[in-house]
Amino acid sequence: MGVKPWLWLSPSLAHKVTPTILRSLNLLAHNDPPEWKSLEWRGIHFPNRLGIAGGVDKNAENLKAWRGLGAGFIELGTVTPQPQKGNTPPVLDRDVANGALWNRLGFPSEGVRKVKTRLKELKRPFAVPLFANIGKNASTPLDQAHSDYIQLLVELRGLVDAFVINISSPNTKGLRELLKTEKLRDFLTPIMESLPADHEPILLKLSPDLEDDELERALSISHELGIDGWILTNTSQGLREGLNFPKEGGVSGRPLAGLSKEFLQKALGLLGSKREGKLVISVGGVMSSDDVEERLQLGADLVQVYSALIFEGPMFFKKVARAQCRQV
Ligand SMILES: Cc1cc2nc3c(=O)[nH]c(=O)nc-3n(C[C@H](O)[C@H](O)[C@H](O)COP(=O)(O)O)c2cc1C
């Protein structure tokens, strides 16, 4: 694996210092994003198929650095309407031997006002598409959750290329309940009805812990209500075998790969021709260039990483770009 000095730091210290290190990498910001397997979708140009997943740049602080490092698109957030601290520690851990991360952060967010200011300051065009991952405040009751998402969609309209509705985090009490059948319909209907005709695409991020029938219903209800695509998957509340992580919280990284691939294949099978014109993004346990290629071969339009950036480092995008360029 080579020398990875950031793995000598404790998980929480590494988490704290990373934004500072990345800010110094803003120096790379003038690099053009590497072009490989570029994609046009709904008028959005993706220079390549590999982006950063929700949670990596929660407050849109390092967008230029990620672009300079070679990300083909950037999902910022999860952003909440009001600032909130998230859960109290311990909230992060890692298992280097198994390439696994554990977290129960619970949407620490500086709130939408700060994120909006940062997005307004960016020079346009930005060279890579920006997605905003949006979530509710912990204090908002579940039956009022839609109002948080509507507020976030209004505040950030015109500042990003697409939105990701996050109701699949295991770390906000009750949130995943909203993915389940009739709750999903009640939650999504007012959100989709609130959108103007020329709204940015809206994607739904799914949990890998849904049962087969729940996945089928979540896909068909969200498709019926006009969702433009899906991100599969968030972290898992299972997968504890052989890992010394607490029961609560979510696991990501290599142990999630099998489940994430299974979900991608199941979802594509269930969607069939309904998938046409929609965007399908695979995330979960993508740890190498071969893994990126495998997800694309399985039918994903785009691929995202979080854990690989921790275990392989921020040059991961360049590594994948080199491998992709060797293939052509
Ligand atoms: C520390 C940490 C924080 C995360 N925060 C978020 C988040 O705020 N919003 C979100 O949608 N997903 C979040 N995720 C989930 C990732 O976006 C991704 O779905 C998951 O980690 C699986 O990908 P990976 O195996 O490449 O890490 C987080 C993951 C980790 C490890």
Side-chain angles (χ1 to χ4, degrees):
M1 200 154 83
V3 180
K4 312 257 163 79
W6 59 90
L7 291 177
W8 302 339
L9 305 174
S10 74
S12 50
L13 184 60
H15 195 69
K16 280 198 191 99
V17 299
T18 301
T20 315
I21 296 168
L22 278 168
R23 266 193 291 280
S24 61
L25 290 175
N26 274 335
L27 297 173
L28 297 172
H30 303 293
N31 289 0
D32 284 332
E35 290 261 349
W36 52 269
K37 295 196 172 134
S38 63
L39 174 74
E40 300 292 330
W41 179 73
R42 309 261 179 106
I44 307 172
H45 175 75
F46 297 84
N48 66 64
R49 307 287 182 115
L50 182 63
I52 65 165
V56 177
D57 195 350
K58 287 179 183 286
N59 296 301
E61 289 175 283
N62 297 300
L63 302 175
K64 286 187 266 182
W66 291 117
R67 182 188 62 189
L69 286 164
F73 64 106
I74 301 169
E75 184 176 325
L76 57 101
T78 297
V79 188
T80 58
Q82 302 305 321
Q84 63 174 28
K85 286 207 164 72
N87 295 324
T88 47
V91 288
L92 267 177
D93 202 0
R94 67 184 170 220
D95 178 329
V96 177
N98 288 300
L101 287 182
W102 167 87
N103 94 88
R104 54 176 288 279
L105 287 169
F107 298 165
S109 172
E110 291 183 9
V112 71
R113 262 186 55 195
K114 277 226 170 123
V115 169
K116 187 174 176 174
T117 305
R118 288 191 187 116
L119 288 172
K120 278 186 163 170
E121 283 165 358
L122 283 184
K123 260 219 208 112
R124 311 285 170 154
F126 187 64
V128 299
L130 296 175
F131 292 13
N133 178 313
I134 53 175
K136 80 171 194 73
N137 278 116
S139 57
T140 305
L142 223 47
D143 61 358
Q144 291 303 308
H146 59 275
S147 57
D148 276 13
Y149 291 82
I150 292 172
Q151 181 188 340
L152 291 156
L153 287 163
V154 171
E155 295 267 9
L156 298 178
R157 184 163 295 151
L159 294 172
V160 291
D161 299 287
F163 287 95
V164 179
I165 294 183
N166 183 3
I167 46 172
S168 52
S169 166
N171 301 320
T172 295
K173 202 165 169 264
L175 191 69
R176 284 182 164 191
E177 284 303 304
L178 295 175
L179 274 173
K180 307 224 170 130
T181 314
E182 287 316 306
K183 282 215 173 76
L184 180 61
R185 187 183 295 283
D186 292 346
F187 165 75
L188 267 187
T189 302
I191 295 176
M192 300 311 282
E193 283 176 353
S194 77
L195 298 169
D198 61 346
H199 68 85
E200 289 90 0
I202 314 282
L203 313 179
L204 181 65
K205 187 163 175 177
L206 297 174
S207 151
D209 301 325
L210 292 173
E211 300 293 339
D212 283 359
D213 59 326
E214 292 170 340
L215 173 65
E216 183 176 357
R217 297 287 292 152
L219 289 170
S220 73
I221 290 171
S222 56
H223 182 275
E224 182 196 323
L225 295 175
I227 281 286
D228 299 292
W230 297 271
I231 301 189
L232 312 100
T233 67
N234 214 313
T235 57
S236 173
Q237 281 185 296
L239 304 175
R240 295 304 194 272
E241 217 183 296
L243 297 170
N244 194 17
F245 290 146
K247 211 165 124 288
E248 70 276 20
V251 170
S252 57
R254 205 185 310 135
L256 180 57
L259 200 52
S260 174
K261 283 191 273 185
E262 198 183 307
F263 257 64
L264 172 63
Q265 287 172 298
K266 271 191 216 159
L268 292 176
L270 289 165
L271 285 167
S273 60
K274 285 187 191 159
R275 178 252 161 89
E276 254 161 60
K278 307 284 185 183
L279 195 69
V280 175
I281 304 182
S282 181
V283 54
V286 172
M287 310 299 276
S288 68
S289 312
D290 288 348
D291 292 345
V292 174
E293 186 56 28
E294 185 185 18
R295 302 299 166 101
L296 296 174
Q297 294 296 332
L298 288 174
D301 298 305
L302 298 168
V303 179
Q304 290 178 320
V305 283
Y306 189 133
S307 299
L309 298 175
I310 306 296
F311 295 109
E312 299 302 316
M315 301 316 278
F316 188 72
F317 296 102
K318 294 273 156 90
K319 240 192 264 177
V320 173
R322 275 198 299 275
Q324 285 287 338
C325 294
R326 270 199 299 273
Q327 278 176 23
V328 288

